[in-house]
Amino acid sequence: MSAQTLLVTGANGDIGRYVVNQALAQGRTVFASIRNEAHKETFQDHPRLHFLIMYMDQPDSIHEAFAEMDRMLNGSPLDAVIHCAAMESPSTVEFLKPEVLEQIIRINSVGSLAIMQASFPRLRRSGGNLILASSLWGRISGPLVSAYSASKWALESLGEAARRETRHMGFNIVLANIGAVKSRMMDAHVEDVKTLLNNASDEEQRLYAHAYESHAEMTKKFDSVAISVEKVSDRLLAIADNARPKARYKMGLDARLLTALSWLLPSSWMDMMLGIGKPKESGLSYRNAD
């Protein structure tokens, strides 16, 4: 099987951009979803590259973009969908704003539902693959990533249920648990966490300094084993070509190791694996803090 015509969502992100460029270099036709017209200028013109404006928090926008793609395909099949679009916003649970959680769920979970619902009838016709770019954080959770992790757990549930519901319909649904990736997104995450700490209230800094510290240490550990964005792109495209793909792929040493250990180790051991120390180890005391 060779997926010659692809839809790649989140093409303006690091992973999506590499998938698009690599697919074009391999001679494929690519429909790339972007959030606004300005993102087109970050790509080189190519006769086999077509842009679709999609707002992942607006299901109607997603279905309209798929209809536009149908018109451009003019009866030709869509061989695969590689769904990379997502957002994150680090925060401790106590200080997580409900509207931020709602936005992340709308984009990462509800938006993914709309992608899946629009993809199914098209992939039934072509017998293609839907690859859902999930995360290490779709299998476990850790400090400051609660909202992102919750949205990816929701994606995991939707993807697994849909795979079992559509098992005999002639197309495949694949979950890709991607670990830390050497990319601009990872660098941006580190900067976001620094900004979050600098802008945090005195109370949040007093209560959660250890969470920021442990997250910084965890990020350093992940950086040392992070997979390159090029390898992630190559693997996603290889899955798109696979006529009998596995239900799940783990990309990166951290994704393989931590997801396996999360099923085997007690929670207290997993805390240590994620670098989470006791408050007294950070010189803090919460006794009578309230």
Side-chain angles (χ1 to χ4, degrees), residues 179-210:
V181 179
K182 292 184 185 293
S183 66
R184 293 177 304 166
M185 183 177 179
M186 188 169 184
D187 294 338
H189 175 80
V190 173
E191 292 304 315
D192 285 345
V193 171
K194 290 180 181 177
T195 300
L196 185 65
L197 176 58
N198 291 336
N199 294 336
S201 66
D202 291 343
E203 181 185 18
E204 184 173 4
Q205 292 194 32
R206 176 174 60 84
L207 291 172
Y208 290 105
H210 70 292

Side-chain angles (χ1 to χ4, degrees), residues 75-171:
S76 297
L78 175 67
D79 297 318
V81 176
I82 302 178
H83 177 42
C84 300
M87 72 160 290
E88 68 163 340
S89 182
S91 174
T92 59
V93 171
E94 184 171 358
F95 292 91
L96 175 62
K97 296 179 180 178
E99 59 269 23
V100 172
L101 174 60
E102 290 171 357
Q103 183 186 25
I104 291 173
I105 293 293
R106 282 198 304 272
I107 291 173
N108 296 0
S109 306
V110 180
S112 295
L113 172 63
I115 291 291
M116 293 165 69
Q117 291 174 335
S119 297
F120 290 176
R122 290 152 175 99
L123 295 177
R124 266 195 292 268
R125 292 194 292 270
S126 67
N129 294 337
L130 168 61
I131 301 123
L132 302 171
S134 184
S135 170
L136 159 68
W137 301 118
R139 306 293 280 175
I140 62 175
S141 192
L144 306 186
V145 297
S146 58
Y148 180 75
S149 183
S151 71
K152 290 299 185 179
W153 279 64
L155 172 62
E156 296 270 332
S157 297
L158 290 167
E160 284 206 344
R163 178 176 57 79
R164 289 168 177 146
E165 292 165 355
T166 63
R167 184 176 179 183
H168 302 294
M169 293 187 184
F171 69 97

Side-chain angles (χ1 to χ4, degrees), residues 206-211 279-280 282 284-290:
R206 176 174 60 84
L207 291 172
Y208 290 105
H210 70 292
K280 65 181 181 182
S282 296
L284 302 174
S285 175
Y286 302 130
R287 190 180 302 277
N288 300 322
D290 295 327

Side-chain angles (χ1 to χ4, degrees), residues 12-277:
N12 49 287
D14 286 324
I15 294 175
R17 182 181 304 279
Y18 268 89
V19 172
V20 168
N21 289 332
Q22 184 65 9
L24 292 171
Q26 294 171 352
R28 309 176 197 245
T29 296
V30 181
F31 291 88
S33 89
I34 54 177
R35 290 196 303 270
N36 58 63
E37 294 285 341
H39 288 143
K40 293 181 181 180
E41 299 176 4
T42 64
F43 292 85
Q44 292 185 347
D45 290 336
H46 197 289
R48 285 182 276 102
L49 175 59
H50 310 281
F51 293 102
L52 301 170
I53 303 296
M54 280 191 197
Y55 301 102
M56 290 298 157
D57 58 347
Q58 299 177 24
D60 287 347
S61 166
I62 293 171
H63 288 286
E64 289 168 6
F66 269 81
E68 180 182 351
M69 180 177 60
D70 288 341
R71 290 190 290 271
M72 287 189 278
L73 283 170
N74 193 28
S76 297
L78 175 67
D79 297 318
V81 176
I82 302 178
H83 177 42
C84 300
M87 72 160 290
E88 68 163 340
S89 182
S91 174
T92 59
V93 171
E94 184 171 358
F95 292 91
L96 175 62
K97 296 179 180 178
E99 59 269 23
V100 172
L101 174 60
E102 290 171 357
Q103 183 186 25
I104 291 173
I105 293 293
R106 282 198 304 272
I107 291 173
N108 296 0
S109 306
V110 180
S112 295
L113 172 63
I115 291 291
M116 293 165 69
Q117 291 174 335
S119 297
F120 290 176
R122 290 152 175 99
L123 295 177
R124 266 195 292 268
R125 292 194 292 270
S126 67
N129 294 337
L130 168 61
I131 301 123
L132 302 171
S134 184
S135 170
L136 159 68
W137 301 118
R139 306 293 280 175
I140 62 175
S141 192
L144 306 186
V145 297
S146 58
Y148 180 75
S149 183
S151 71
K152 290 299 185 179
W153 279 64
L155 172 62
E156 296 270 332
S157 297
L158 290 167
E160 284 206 344
R163 178 176 57 79
R164 289 168 177 146
E165 292 165 355
T166 63
R167 184 176 179 183
H168 302 294
M169 293 187 184
F171 69 97
N172 303 297
I173 299 173
V174 177
L175 283 160
N177 292 113
I178 303 172
V181 179
K182 292 184 185 293
S183 66
R184 293 177 304 166
M185 183 177 179
M186 188 169 184
D187 294 338
H189 175 80
V190 173
E191 292 304 315
D192 285 345
V193 171
K194 290 180 181 177
T195 300
L196 185 65
L197 176 58
N198 291 336
N199 294 336
S201 66
D202 291 343
E203 181 185 18
E204 184 173 4
Q205 292 194 32
R206 176 174 60 84
L207 291 172
Y208 290 105
H210 70 292
Y212 290 104
E213 292 167 3
S214 63
H215 188 81
E217 289 300 316
M218 179 183 66
T219 302
K220 290 178 183 178
K221 291 178 183 177
F222 282 9
D223 185 62
S224 66
V225 297
I227 188 172
S228 71
V229 69
E230 294 92 343
K231 286 184 179 180
V232 172
S233 172
D234 287 343
R235 292 201 65 188
L236 291 174
L237 288 169
I239 296 168
D241 289 338
N242 194 332
R244 296 177 63 85
K246 295 189 294 185
R248 181 184 302 279
Y249 292 82
K250 298 181 180 68
M251 300 183 188
L253 178 61
D254 54 344
R256 296 194 301 272
L257 181 63
L258 290 177
T259 54
L261 292 178
S262 68
W263 291 98
L264 299 173
L265 297 181
S267 295
S268 58
W269 289 27
M270 280 302 298
D271 290 348
M272 289 188 289
M273 288 291 296
L274 294 172
I276 301 168

